[in-house]
Amino acid sequence: MAFVKDMLRMWAHSWKRFISIAMITLLGVAVLTGIYAGCRDAFRSTDRFFDAQGLHDVQVLSTAGLSNGDIAALRKVNGVAKVQAERSQEVTFDLDGRKSATMQEIGTNGIDQPYLQEGRMPKKAGEIAVTRKFIRDSGKRIGSRLTVTPESASSDTSDTNDTNGADGTNEASGTDEAPSFPTKLTIVGVVLDPQNLSNPDGYSAMTSFRSTATTDYTFFAPSDGVTGTLYTSATLLVKGAAAESTFDESYENTVKQVTDRIDGTVKTDRQKARRQELLDAGNRKIVDARAEADKKFADAQSQIDANRQQFNQQVDQIVSMQAGAAAAGAAANGANAGAAAAAGATTPQLDETTRETMRETIIAASPELTQAKQQLDQAQSQLNEQKASTEHTLKTKENELKTSIPQVRWYVQDRQSLGGFSALKSDLDSIQSLGNAFPIVFLLVAVMMSLTAMARMVEEDRSLIGTYVGLGYGRLAVASRYLLFALLACLIGGGLGLIAGFLGIPAFLLVVLQGMYVMPGLRLEYDWLYGSLGIALFVVGVLAATIYACVQEMRQTPASLLRPKAPRAGSRILLERIRPVWNRIGFLGKVTARNIFRFKSRLIMTVGGVAGCTALIVCGLAINDTVADLGIKQYRDIYRYDLMVVSDDSDASAMRTKVASDGRVTSSLDVRIESGDLTVAGSGDGDSGKAGSSGSESIQLVAVPEKHLSDLGEMVTLQPVSSGILGTSGVGKTGSLKLDDDGVIVAQSAASALGVKAGSKVRLTNGDGVQATAKVSAVNRNLIGSDVYVSETYYAKLFDSKDAKNTKNSKSSEDSEALTWNAMLAKLSGSDTSQTDYAESLEEDSSVMKAVSCAHMADSFKFDLMGAVVALIVALAGGLALVVLFTLANTNVSERVREMATLKVLGFFDREVHHYVNREMMILTVMGVILGLPLGRLVGGMLTMALNMPSLYFEVEVKPLSYVIAAVATMAFALLVQLFVNPVLDRIDPISSLKSVE
């Protein structure tokens, strides 16, 4: 019992050490669990929301639309739980200019159901539900009316629906009709689109660098009033996918099994079947047109034949009359009057030649008959010409039908293809990666400080430990006094850290997240396993340091422990050997130097602890500086052009004419831009990019005309990069990189994420879904987006052969030889504001699909979530620095109580004692800061590995001001600690402190 009372008394006396260990553990556990818990809560709530609204696992799109046969084939795929055929239509309306929207049919199979926020869901034809973004931009409300105008052709089916039949009518889709929605609309509800959780009212609505929307808004309409049997897409739910977290690898593997099955025989068979349907429909139209033309020609020929018969009868009648009159005249001149009478009564018999001659003579003598014959001959000639022309046209249509209908392409996409989903996932993944990296530093500092504090605590009780051991107490029992002390401090600090980690920090992060995304049903949850492991990690670290300190003392005999520890032998420091310097240092300066450098452990612990905290602050500020400069570096330095304009292939010529006519362009480069994928092929066959794949990245494939390869460097800074140690990279000389026909140039952002370097083999997918294995000739410096540059010749080499393999008609590959330059990179005259306004005006033009101003992108690029996390990390690092300095200062004072008492006996005033002690701490702090600043830069440079995000490469940069802030903050914490330490120095009693230990 006395042992326990003495232990509790010892604990109470060491309350400062207890608080220090508890605070360090609190901060460490809070950092370890807080960022993880915030991201996990967001992941879980979003996953629940997606499951509740039936967000599709797989979406299938087709360049020719989807038919009932396609839907039936998808239902038969193994692993598919539900299939929902969806119809949509692009419309335009006037809202401070021409705006576009997608009329989306609300599915009836429970997939992609919009989340009702206000009002009610539409039920009747003409009713729609809109997003809050539309309500905010338009100023309309529930009950408002809206009139829209359908686009001429849906973007999903324009490639095939524009194929004309023989008679000029649009009939490529056979009996399938494109979707059509009502145009007189009434708003009855406000909904949240599960495919896009961006918060339109948040402070971070401007995330245009990741925006993939093709229209400005989405309107949701019921099936009532929607016509058309051609579907724009099919959405699928996969069996067992709902049981997995949508952000986990297990979910991706479950979905990938189904997408692989669809990409196999189903996709190939249905692409061929759909194209055959289009060919059959065209052939039927041609057959119908031929039958209708033959009928018309037959009717016209019958009319001409009837008229000609009537004409011939009239001429034959005249011929007969003239022949009879001639015969009667000849008989009148004869001798026999009776013979004359008989001759007059009988029509003479004429041979065919004589009759035809008389017909021609009669027709030639009569202008009316001549004109009638000419009309009949002209009508027959025209009819013959029409028949020949029509037959030629039909034959031409038959021959051109196969080449005029392109190959049907299916696009099988998962949730990663949704811009809103991928943006949320990348944001949370980046923050979670920081949460995995920083606690390591906190743990190391906690172990160092615990070792320092507990070693001093054990050393202070040296004689007491010897007494207990001499009385027969076991060393484990004696050590339990300190182990339980450290354990209790860790548990209390860890418990408070769990409260901060699962409540405080997640609440802060979720407030920031909700400013960027709408996440219904968000709630804070506790993870017992992760929380327990978090505390256990720090408990193990601190207890290990405590055990080490106890072993160092208790391995001695009780007799040695009962004697005071012998003072360290005097020794010279290195500075003493530099006589010119040493001789010019005053007495107190020499004492300070000896105290600093003779006690190596205190030097290492203090400098190391301060350096670690300073490095954390620098690292946090480095993230802030890096993110702040991303937009400027990318859109001012790397992209040297001012404007990028993209159009549809059919509008490319009109787009270039429009831009050229405006007179704003000083120089330009025509390119072809396609959205595709880059996959790292495994170690196996280079043509099988799936089996050995180690990752994929969405890219922007930029094809450059062969004659203008050298001009690419005028529009984009071509600067090779090479991988360095610890995730760093080396940047080559500007202009030393050239695009050629031997390979592609891959953006650094994509190469870093996939581990690609010069000479690697990658799998490229172009805009038509055609895949090819390409060689990476170089990696180009690039921070935002994932551009892959390819020459015109190498593009044809990569993808034309694939087209030939996938196409039975070899002639179809000839059409792909000449690329359509559907985009333009241009340098503009004028200010940044005028360039931004010009880009916005271009988007109003019907020939322009997208116009991007680099000046606008540089100014609007934001990453608010990362800024909030940086502020959190800097605050926690500052708190850790304060605790570390407080712990080291108190340990320093407790070790030197007799020294301070001696100084007081020698006549030092309190202020002089303060200066004597604090000067050493300030020098050690300065040394720690000097070491911590480059260490923070080194750790910040390693963040590229931790912040491995899609389409982003963090080129770490630390501004001079950040170094100043980190140094000033650490020194300010040191000065603040002095305010707590000075009263401790004042309370030292020289008499009691200098008593001999007996």
Side-chain angles (χ1 to χ4, degrees):
M1 188 64 183
F3 180 81
V4 175
K5 287 183 178 181
D6 183 63
M7 180 177 64
L8 295 177
R9 189 180 299 112
M10 181 268 293
W11 289 5
H13 179 72
S14 304
W15 63 272
K16 293 179 182 177
R17 293 190 182 95
F18 188 92
I19 291 177
S20 297
I21 297 175
M23 286 299 299
I24 292 176
T25 306
L26 186 154
L27 292 173
V29 172
V31 172
L32 179 64
T33 60
I35 298 178
Y36 158 81
C39 296
R40 186 210 54 175
D41 291 341
F43 279 139
R44 287 190 175 183
S45 64
T46 306
D47 182 60
R48 289 193 299 268
F49 176 74
F50 286 159
D51 291 342
Q53 304 308 124
L55 181 65
H56 67 261
D57 298 314
V58 180
Q59 184 181 43
V60 178
L61 302 171
S62 173
T63 56
L66 297 172
S67 64
N68 289 324
D70 297 328
I71 304 301
L74 290 173
R75 287 196 175 99
K76 296 178 181 178
V77 176
N78 184 26
V80 173
K82 285 184 179 181
V83 178
Q84 178 173 284
E86 297 183 348
R87 295 176 290 185
S88 63
Q89 182 184 31
E90 291 188 8
V91 297
T92 59
F93 57 94
D94 184 48
L95 180 63
D96 296 330
R98 181 177 176 268
K99 298 294 183 181
S100 62
T102 299
M103 295 289 296
Q104 181 67 47
E105 180 185 15
I106 300 176
T108 58
N109 208 14
I111 303 178
D112 287 344
Q113 298 298 297
Y115 176 77
L116 183 64
Q117 294 178 302
E118 185 179 349
R120 63 175 177 85
M121 296 297 292
K123 298 178 181 179
K124 299 184 297 184
E127 295 181 343
I128 60 169
V130 299
T131 60
R132 192 166 296 281
K133 177 185 177 184
F134 176 78
I135 295 294
R136 184 199 64 181
D137 295 346
S138 66
K140 297 183 180 296
R141 59 181 186 272
I142 294 178
S144 299
R145 298 183 181 276
L146 181 68
T147 300
V148 298
T149 303
E151 291 282 2
S152 58
S154 173
S155 61
D156 291 330
T157 58
S158 59
D159 291 342
T160 55
N161 285 351
D162 290 339
T163 305
N164 292 336
D167 62 347
T169 60
N170 185 332
E171 195 64 32
S173 59
T175 58
D176 292 329
E177 297 179 1
S180 178
F181 287 72
T183 57
K184 304 289 185 179
L185 308 175
T186 302
I187 301 174
V188 298
V190 179
V191 297
L192 174 65
D193 186 358
Q195 299 186 30
N196 185 7
L197 302 184
S198 299
N199 186 358
D201 301 320
Y203 52 79
S204 187
M206 184 63 69
T207 55
S208 55
F209 77 101
R210 288 178 296 191
S211 177
T212 58
T214 57
T215 56
D216 299 311
Y217 307 100
T218 301
F219 299 157
F220 296 90
S223 300
D224 187 21
V226 181
T227 60
T229 57
L230 191 65
Y231 305 109
T232 52
S233 65
T235 52
L236 290 71
L237 292 182
V238 176
K239 293 179 181 178
E244 306 288 346
S245 174
T246 185
F247 302 98
D248 290 346
E249 186 177 356
S250 58
Y251 167 82
E252 296 178 1
N253 294 334
T254 302
V255 174
K256 188 176 185 301
Q257 293 177 2
V258 175
T259 57
D260 288 346
R261 294 188 187 110
I262 297 175
D263 282 330
T265 58
V266 176
K267 176 180 177 179
T268 304
D269 293 345
R270 288 311 305 172
Q271 285 178 162
K272 294 179 180 179
R274 181 61 180 153
R275 186 170 188 269
Q276 189 59 47
E277 289 176 3
L278 299 176
L279 292 173
D280 292 343
N283 287 324
R284 284 197 302 272
K285 194 62 185 178
I286 293 175
V287 170
D288 293 342
R290 177 178 279 111
E292 184 178 356
D294 289 344
K295 182 177 182 302
K296 291 180 179 179
F297 293 149
D299 294 341
Q301 187 65 55
S302 300
Q303 184 65 36
I304 293 174
D305 292 344
N307 292 337
R308 188 176 295 278
Q309 182 180 4
Q310 184 179 0
F311 174 81
N312 289 335
Q313 290 177 352
Q314 183 177 359
V315 173
D316 289 342
Q317 186 178 3
I318 297 174
V319 169
S320 299
M321 293 175 59
Q322 289 185 357
N333 294 327
N336 191 344
T346 304
T347 302
Q349 297 296 324
L350 301 176
D351 60 86
E352 189 64 28
T353 302
T354 304
R355 179 177 292 275
E356 187 63 30
T357 301
M358 292 184 64
R359 286 170 55 86
E360 293 177 357
T361 303
I362 293 171
I363 294 174
S366 173
E368 291 82 0
L369 293 177
T370 301
Q371 182 178 4
K373 185 177 184 301
Q374 290 176 350
Q375 289 178 349
L376 288 173
D377 293 342
Q378 184 177 2
Q380 185 64 54
S381 176
Q382 290 178 350
L383 179 61
N384 293 337
E385 289 178 0
Q386 289 180 2
K387 291 172 66 176
S389 175
T390 300
E391 185 62 26
H392 180 267
T393 300
L394 293 175
K395 288 289 186 181
T396 302
K397 287 293 183 180
E398 288 179 344
N399 295 331
E400 293 179 351
L401 184 60
K402 289 186 177 182
T403 57
S404 63
I405 296 180
Q407 295 295 318
V408 176
R409 298 290 184 191
W410 268 28
Y411 299 97
V412 183
Q413 303 172 342
D414 57 16
R415 291 183 181 178
Q416 297 290 342
S417 302
L418 299 177
F421 176 87
S422 59
L424 173 63
K425 186 176 187 296
S426 64
D427 282 342
L428 294 178
D429 283 343
S430 64
I431 304 308
Q432 197 167 36
S433 63
L434 288 179
N436 296 333
F438 278 94
I440 298 175
V441 181
F442 279 79
L443 178 62
L444 292 177
V445 173
V447 172
M448 291 174 59
M449 293 305 101
S450 300
L451 179 60
T452 301
M454 296 309 299
R456 180 56 193 166
M457 185 177 180
V458 173
E459 186 177 340
E460 286 179 353
D461 291 346
R462 174 185 175 88
S463 60
L464 185 60
I465 293 172
T467 302
Y468 278 124
V469 174
L471 292 174
Y473 285 89
R475 282 179 167 78
L476 181 59
V478 177
S480 64
R481 292 159 50 93
Y482 310 100
L483 294 174
L484 292 176
F485 176 85
L487 176 61
L488 184 61
C490 285
L491 292 178
I492 293 178
L496 295 175
L498 291 180
I499 295 175
F502 283 98
L503 293 179
I505 295 178
F508 168 76
L509 290 179
L510 294 179
V511 167
V512 179
L513 278 172
Q514 286 179 318
M516 302 174 63
Y517 303 100
V518 180
M519 293 180 284
L522 186 62
R523 65 174 182 262
L524 303 179
E525 300 181 23
Y526 180 73
D527 188 335
W528 288 97
L529 178 61
Y530 195 85
S532 301
L533 291 177
I535 294 180
L537 184 64
F538 280 84
V539 166
V540 171
V542 173
L543 287 183
T546 305
I547 292 173
Y548 177 81
C550 292
V551 169
Q552 289 296 103
E553 290 293 335
M554 293 182 183
R555 65 184 178 181
Q556 303 180 41
T557 63
S560 299
L561 293 172
L562 287 171
R563 289 193 298 267
K565 190 174 183 179
R568 293 191 59 182
S571 61
R572 291 190 175 191
I573 62 175
L574 179 63
L575 190 60
E576 291 186 51
R577 304 182 187 279
I578 307 175
R579 305 307 297 181
V581 177
W582 183 257
N583 292 336
R584 287 172 172 78
I585 300 176
F587 172 75
L588 291 179
K590 293 178 180 179
V591 173
T592 301
R594 285 194 180 102
N595 288 334
I596 289 175
F597 293 105
R598 282 184 62 211
F599 300 97
K600 301 295 192 300
S601 61
R602 186 172 67 199
L603 171 65
I604 294 174
M605 291 297 179
T606 304
V607 174
V610 173
C613 297
T614 305
L616 279 177
I617 297 176
V618 172
C619 193
L621 295 175
I623 300 174
N624 185 68
D625 294 342
T626 300
V627 173
D629 286 347
L630 275 180
I632 297 175
K633 288 182 178 179
Q634 180 69 35
Y635 298 109
R636 300 285 189 187
D637 300 339
I638 298 177
Y639 286 166
R640 302 172 66 180
Y641 59 85
D642 300 314
L643 176 71
M644 179 178 72
V645 189
V646 184
S647 72
D648 191 53
D649 286 357
S650 59
D651 297 325
S653 178
M655 176 270 291
R656 288 194 291 271
T657 303
K658 164 65 179 174
V659 175
S661 64
D662 292 337
R664 295 290 305 274
V665 175
T666 58
S667 62
S668 64
L669 174 64
D670 293 336
V671 296
R672 177 169 183 80
I673 293 181
E674 300 177 353
S675 296
D677 290 297
L678 184 147
T679 303
V680 179
S683 59
D685 185 5
D687 290 333
S688 60
K690 295 179 182 179
S693 172
S694 61
S696 63
E697 185 87 1
S698 297
I699 61 168
Q700 184 171 266
L701 189 61
V702 182
V704 183
E706 197 68 27
K707 296 181 180 179
H708 300 284
L709 294 180
S710 59
D711 296 338
L712 180 62
E714 298 296 324
M715 296 296 171
V716 179
T717 301
L718 297 178
Q719 200 170 5
V721 294
S722 58
S723 300
I725 60 173
L726 299 177
T728 59
S729 61
V731 181
K733 183 180 178 182
T734 302
S736 61
L737 183 59
K738 302 293 183 182
L739 180 63
D740 52 33
D741 300 332
D742 294 332
V744 299
I745 297 178
V746 178
Q748 185 180 12
S749 48
S752 175
L754 300 176
V756 173
K757 58 184 179 180
S760 299
K761 295 287 187 179
V762 296
R763 191 79 168 165
L764 287 179
T765 305
N766 69 356
D768 292 331
V770 181
Q771 294 185 345
T773 301
K775 176 186 175 184
V776 178
S777 61
V779 176
N780 184 50
R781 177 173 175 251
N782 196 84
L783 307 181
I784 302 176
S786 297
D787 297 331
V788 174
Y789 300 102
V790 58
S791 67
E792 180 182 5
T793 301
Y794 196 57
Y795 182 98
K797 178 181 177 182
L798 290 176
F799 299 112
D800 283 359
S801 60
K802 290 292 182 182
D803 280 338
K805 288 181 181 180
N806 294 334
T807 308
K808 291 183 179 180
N809 184 8
S810 60
K811 293 183 179 181
S812 63
S813 63
E814 298 175 359
D815 299 333
S816 62
E817 292 180 359
L819 292 177
T820 301
W821 309 112
N822 65 339
M824 174 189 292
L825 309 179
K827 294 183 178 180
L828 302 178
S829 59
S831 63
D832 290 349
T833 304
S834 65
Q835 292 176 9
T836 301
D837 294 340
Y838 178 61
E840 292 177 353
S841 65
L842 280 179
E843 289 200 329
E844 302 296 328
D845 190 270
S846 59
S847 64
V848 175
M849 181 184 301
K850 188 70 175 179
V852 178
S853 166
C854 286
H856 172 68
M857 296 297 291
D859 295 338
S860 62
F861 180 88
K862 294 180 180 179
F863 209 162
D864 300 277
L865 181 58
M866 188 66 74
V869 175
V870 166
L872 176 65
I873 290 175
V874 171
L876 292 173
L880 181 63
L882 184 61
V883 174
V884 166
L885 289 170
F886 178 79
T887 303
L888 294 173
N890 277 283
T891 302
N892 184 36
V893 172
S894 65
E895 288 177 342
R896 305 168 62 187
V897 171
R898 294 175 64 86
E899 182 183 353
M900 300 302 106
T902 303
L903 292 176
K904 289 190 175 185
V905 169
L906 292 175
F908 277 65
F909 293 102
D910 288 344
R911 181 176 298 176
E912 293 173 324
V913 175
H914 297 168
H915 180 68
Y916 177 81
V917 175
N918 292 333
R919 179 169 55 180
E920 294 180 16
M921 284 300 302
M922 291 303 294
I923 292 175
L924 291 172
T925 302
V926 170
M927 294 172 63
V929 169
I930 294 174
L931 179 61
L933 294 179
L935 180 62
R937 177 61 182 85
L938 176 63
V939 176
M942 296 167 57
L943 289 177
T944 301
M945 292 187 299
L947 300 176
N948 196 3
M949 296 176 57
S951 301
L952 283 179
Y953 179 83
F954 289 89
E955 189 177 72
V956 180
E957 177 178 343
V958 186
K959 296 180 180 178
L961 181 60
S962 296
Y963 288 117
V964 174
I965 293 174
V968 170
T970 305
M971 298 304 296
F973 291 140
L975 294 174
L976 180 61
V977 167
Q978 291 182 11
L979 299 179
F980 296 102
V981 174
N982 289 340
V984 177
L985 296 174
D986 295 339
R987 290 194 294 268
I988 294 177
D989 183 16
I991 298 177
S992 61
S993 300
L994 291 174
K995 285 182 179 180
S996 297
V997 180
E998 298 292 344

